[in-house]
Amino acid sequence: MFTSVIIPAAGFGERMGASVSKQFLTLRGKPILIHTVERFQRCNEIAEIVITAQRSAFARIGFLVSEFHLTKVRPLVEGGERRQDSVANALNVVDPRADLIAVHDAVRPFLHKKILLQAIEKAAEYSAAVVAVRAKDTVKIGNDSAFVEKTLDRSSVWIAQTPQIFKREILVHAYMLAKEKNIVATDDSSLVEQIGIQPVLVEGSYDNIKITTPDDLEFAEALLRRFEG
Ligand code: C5P
């Protein structure tokens, strides 16, 4: 089984309010992006890593890739305007031998290997797998004026994370359809759902946070102690 991972890292990180994109902020002296890539570099089941980035960051990432001996990383791919565009660009260069393609946010460095392996296994079995956690809070749908429209039944609410892993043909087909029909989504599973596939949910961990705001960075420092001692 040949599994590729796409790591979109072309975001600007406006919500962080820092002058540097969030994937380059450091945890214990190492950029978040590199912590993330190392999770896949060290996993034997992953054959190649495709990173999308802004062209202005290519030299910097190239330097880090060789400094940290990230041998599975393929030539960098330029990102697009939205995350979806960045993933679409990466899909064009994934190795044709890939059976499965995983997509994982550059800013989620705390992925447990056990969960990654479970997600790969489930994707191989069911064609599409999404790592997610059960909602701890009750989720409300609000209207434009911030009044509650609807309350979801918490027992069936999951919060989607990454990795999201798919059989290659399925993800390629989903992205083709999205382009054709101008479908916009914030995760890959949504696009796959649009072609009538029902991904399986793989129970993940609350550790697998997406580092988005400055508060997350403090929490991330604490999580890193748990991960690396
Ligand atoms: O902020 P957001 O949830 O969109 O970011 C998720 C991931 O997608 C981040 O790793 C970010 O770098 C990446 N991204 C991208 N291209 C964009 C926007 C976000 O690769 N245009």
Side-chain angles (χ1 to χ4, degrees):
M1 174 94 60
F2 191 110
T3 305
S4 302
V5 61
I6 292 173
I7 301 187
F12 290 92
E14 285 102 355
R15 283 171 287 179
M16 187 59 82
S19 56
V20 53
S21 298
K22 55 196 170 180
Q23 58 271 24
F24 294 114
L25 294 172
T26 56
L27 291 173
R28 287 213 194 143
K30 195 190 285 181
I32 289 168
L33 169 66
I34 301 306
H35 283 283
T36 303
V37 174
E38 281 181 340
R39 306 266 168 234
F40 294 93
Q41 173 72 32
R42 291 179 192 148
C43 176
N44 288 337
E45 282 72 9
I46 297 291
E48 68 164 356
I49 302 170
V50 179
I51 301 175
T52 65
Q54 292 164 37
R55 191 159 284 279
S56 58
F58 274 22
R60 181 181 196 173
I61 297 175
F63 178 78
L64 289 166
V65 163
S66 62
E67 185 186 355
F68 289 96
H69 310 292
L70 302 169
T71 53
K72 294 180 188 172
V73 175
R74 297 292 168 251
L76 299 172
V77 176
E78 190 163 9
E81 199 182 319
R82 301 161 303 186
R83 179 189 188 278
Q84 183 178 334
D85 305 313
S86 298
V87 173
N89 291 352
L91 273 180
N92 292 329
V93 306
V94 164
D95 193 305
R97 288 170 294 173
D99 304 297
L100 294 179
I101 302 178
V103 186
H104 185 74
D105 293 325
V107 287
R108 290 190 193 268
F110 303 115
L111 171 64
H112 291 284
K113 185 167 183 184
K114 198 172 120 210
I115 294 168
L116 171 59
L117 294 179
Q118 267 166 10
I120 292 175
E121 214 172 278
K122 295 280 184 188
E125 189 176 352
Y126 297 103
S127 300
V130 173
V131 171
V133 288
R134 290 176 187 278
K136 289 184 187 176
D137 301 310
T138 302
V139 177
K140 310 268 182 200
I141 307 293
N143 65 18
D144 291 346
S145 331
F147 283 89
V148 174
E149 258 291 86
K150 196 171 151 189
T151 298
L152 302 183
D153 170 14
R154 191 174 62 191
S155 64
S156 56
V157 173
W158 293 73
I159 309 294
Q161 302 178 338
T162 65
Q164 301 187 351
I165 312 183
F166 311 92
K167 292 228 166 105
R168 174 201 175 79
E169 327 72 80
I170 286 178
L171 192 61
V172 169
H173 181 192
Y175 267 81
M176 255 165 46
L177 190 90
K179 193 175 170 196
E180 231 173 79
K181 300 205 163 168
N182 267 322
I183 303 168
V184 178
T186 48
D187 76 342
D188 308 284
S189 173
S190 310
L191 299 181
V192 165
E193 291 156 42
Q194 297 276 344
I195 60 164
I197 305 272
Q198 190 175 28
V200 61
L201 292 161
V202 176
E203 187 139 23
S205 154
Y206 297 101
D207 289 352
N208 186 23
I209 59 166
K210 178 158 79 168
I211 300 175
T212 308
T213 62
D215 300 359
D216 296 333
L217 210 55
E218 279 172 37
F219 185 41
E221 293 282 355
L223 278 172
L224 194 65
R225 280 195 288 280
R226 190 189 305 170
F227 259 70
E228 295 186 350

